[in-house]
Amino acid sequence: MIGKMETAKATLLHYVVDTKASRLTVQAFASGILSAMGHNPHIGIRTFTGEVDFNAETSLAGRFRLSIKTNSFGVLDDISDKDRREIEMMMNEQVLESSRYPDIVYEAPTVTITRLGGALYSATLNGTLSFHGVTRDQIVAARIAVFDEMIRASGEFSLNQSDYGIKPVSVAGGALKVKDELKFSFEMIARKQE
């Protein structure tokens, strides 16, 4: 048994996320009496790194790690530059507290892979998310497509800000506020390393 596990680990290939070809976004949802006039902001994450160990032939995966810089969150919606600056300043200073908590880290020591057919797989990552000074278990499901020298993974997951000690933002005396739930979506390209 140990010999088989060592052989399997030895066959894992190392992939690194290509951040320029990848997309990681967050959607927040508005509530309150003025929410009909507000919008559900889409936030893009510009600075992140990631890596995974994976072998398509054996349908095995090792650890996955993703690290995000909290000061790299930017509004994607078509709004005025003034509103964009105000929202991003509020996100950095009041919500994410970027100077105090500069990184968000997701680590999954093991990944369960199921071959769907051809070069398509599904993956379940049983990991922990360290966000705003709090670490909690977080399961993430992904769809994976395998190409010659790269893999493409996509999926989404939700979390509640309050689980990480974050108080959802409220403006105009509570008439417009952000709901507790955030929805993360990802489309990541990882390239095989030699």
Side-chain angles (χ1 to χ4, degrees):
M1 178 77 172
I2 291 175
K4 282 185 180 180
M5 286 177 64
E6 286 173 358
T7 302
K9 284 183 181 178
T11 63
L12 291 176
L13 304 171
H14 189 68
Y15 291 82
V16 173
V17 173
D18 179 344
T19 55
K20 289 185 174 150
S22 301
R23 181 181 54 82
L24 183 55
T25 60
V26 183
Q27 182 172 12
F29 302 94
S31 70
I33 354 172
L34 297 178
S35 62
M37 295 180 348
H39 65 291
N40 297 323
H42 283 84
I43 310 298
I45 300 171
R46 296 181 291 258
T47 307
F48 56 93
T49 59
E51 58 187 340
V52 66
D53 295 323
F54 178 70
N55 186 318
E57 289 178 19
T58 58
S59 297
L60 292 172
R63 72 178 189 93
F64 172 80
R65 185 175 199 283
L66 179 71
S67 181
I68 298 167
K69 290 294 181 190
T70 55
N71 65 359
S72 73
F73 284 51
V75 178
L76 298 175
D77 302 313
D78 187 19
I79 57 175
S80 72
D81 287 342
K82 179 182 177 280
D83 287 346
R84 181 181 320 280
R85 282 192 304 274
E86 284 180 20
I87 292 170
E88 290 177 1
M89 186 177 73
M90 183 182 292
M91 262 193 314
N92 276 307
E93 294 177 7
Q94 297 176 25
V95 179
L96 298 172
E97 297 180 85
S98 299
S99 59
R100 187 171 175 196
Y101 306 106
D103 299 299
I104 299 169
V105 177
Y106 181 74
E107 291 185 283
T110 58
V111 180
T112 305
I113 302 288
T114 304
R115 189 175 204 141
L116 301 175
L120 299 177
Y121 300 79
S122 69
T124 303
L125 293 81
N126 292 297
T128 57
L129 180 64
S130 297
F131 181 25
H132 201 254
V134 176
T135 300
R136 296 177 57 96
D137 291 340
Q138 179 70 49
I139 295 174
V140 176
R143 296 169 302 283
I144 299 173
V146 178
F147 303 95
D148 289 337
E149 298 291 313
M150 68 177 213
I151 55 178
R152 180 181 153 273
S154 59
E156 57 188 39
F157 66 95
S158 295
L159 60 81
N160 290 327
Q161 296 176 76
S162 59
D163 289 342
Y164 292 89
I166 298 172
K167 184 178 178 186
V169 174
S170 177
V171 293
L176 181 64
K177 54 188 175 180
V178 173
K179 290 183 181 178
D180 195 15
E181 181 187 18
L182 296 176
K183 182 174 153 187
F184 288 75
S185 299
F186 58 91
E187 183 93 24
M188 293 195 182
I189 301 293
R191 301 191 189 280
K192 186 167 71 173
Q193 303 299 297
E194 295 300 324

